[in-house]
Amino acid sequence: MIDALTLVVGVTALALAAWCGFAVYRDQPTKDWHFIGMAVVSLLAVVQLVIGIVQLARGQSPDKGTAIFVSYLLGAAACVPATGFLSLSERTRWGSATVAAGAVVLAVLEVRLFDIWGGGSA
């Protein structure tokens, strides 16, 4: 796995969480700008999914199992879009809170992906 991409996805997810958390603080629903941010984070997660699958196809394998690695990749790619769709049905501050929570979950999934691939091993 590309460590730099994992870091970028995690940091952008945390930035999105902070941005949507600020919207919650200001009692605002998700707005168009938030959806652009969600699209950027989601695009990065999809790029990570594609790169992960390409690396698996080349014969590289994660330290802790291919099935769990692919499951985490799919979950990471689906996390922010799922919460974005949920925020559309809740046009209050809680829609923003949902996206913020989903972005935090994505950041945690990135840490876990790094660990599963073997990034933390010496």
Side-chain angles (χ1 to χ4, degrees), residues 51-108:
I51 289 173
I53 290 172
V54 166
Q55 286 183 327
L56 290 173
R58 287 183 176 170
Q60 297 174 335
S61 63
D63 287 350
K64 300 197 170 94
T66 303
I68 193 164
F69 178 72
V70 171
S71 298
Y72 271 86
L73 276 176
L74 291 171
C79 189
V80 171
T83 57
F85 282 120
L86 285 173
S87 75
L88 287 173
S89 66
E90 183 60 49
R91 300 304 295 166
T92 65
R93 70 186 292 183
W94 298 110
S96 295
T98 301
V99 174
V104 170
V105 168
L106 176 57
V108 171

Side-chain angles (χ1 to χ4, degrees), residues 6-57:
T6 303
L7 180 65
V8 168
V9 175
V11 169
T12 56
L14 289 175
L16 178 63
W19 188 20
C20 290
F22 186 65
V24 172
Y25 173 75
R26 295 187 62 203
D27 199 22
Q28 296 177 338
T30 49
K31 300 195 177 192
D32 291 343
W33 291 107
H34 294 113
F35 286 100
I36 292 171
M38 285 182 253
V40 169
V41 172
S42 297
L43 178 64
L44 288 170
V46 168
V47 166
Q48 183 182 40
L49 171 69
V50 169
I51 289 173
I53 290 172
V54 166
Q55 286 183 327
L56 290 173

